[in-house]
Amino acid sequence: MELVFTGRVIEWRGPAPYYFLRVPDEESADIREVAAMATYGWGVIPVEARIGEVAFGTSLFPKDGGYLLPLKNAVRKPQGIGAGDEVSVEMTVRL
């Protein structure tokens, strides 16, 4: 399943700051349809994503009926991405 969307980067301030992109409702609904085939436990969904020139593998976290795409420093920092920035993502759910 391939998805393309744009979202705003959010920061979660736990013991260490984490940055996420909320997957829009429509795309989250599409992911839920294949979630049982894709998840490896705890509702997380493995994906391959691309932001700009940086491709990376990660897992979506379920949150409030949708999903959050974690953005590692290795993805954000080279592109100068920070909290509040609008970012476009190409993403493939690994089934």
Side-chain angles (χ1 to χ4, degrees):
M1 168 181 290
E2 295 182 13
L3 305 166
V4 177
F5 62 90
T6 300
R8 191 164 308 279
V9 176
I10 57 174
E11 181 180 7
W12 177 77
R13 294 181 183 243
Y18 288 93
Y19 296 85
F20 298 95
L21 203 63
R22 183 175 301 281
V23 177
D25 292 343
E26 184 176 331
E27 287 79 1
S28 287
D30 292 341
I31 293 166
R32 278 193 301 278
E33 290 181 14
V34 299
M37 293 183 291
T39 188
Y40 54 85
W42 305 285
V44 296
I45 307 292
V47 298
E48 296 291 329
R50 175 179 295 279
I51 297 175
E53 298 300 316
V54 179
F56 59 102
T58 190
S59 294
L60 300 176
F61 295 174
K63 177 76 170 148
D64 299 330
Y67 294 94
L68 297 176
L69 174 68
L71 301 178
K72 301 172 187 173
N73 287 342
V75 174
R76 290 184 320 97
K77 287 189 176 185
Q79 300 183 82
I81 296 171
D85 290 346
E86 189 100 352
V87 177
S88 294
V89 178
E90 298 173 25
M91 187 173 73
T92 303
V93 175
R94 292 185 280 172
L95 300 176

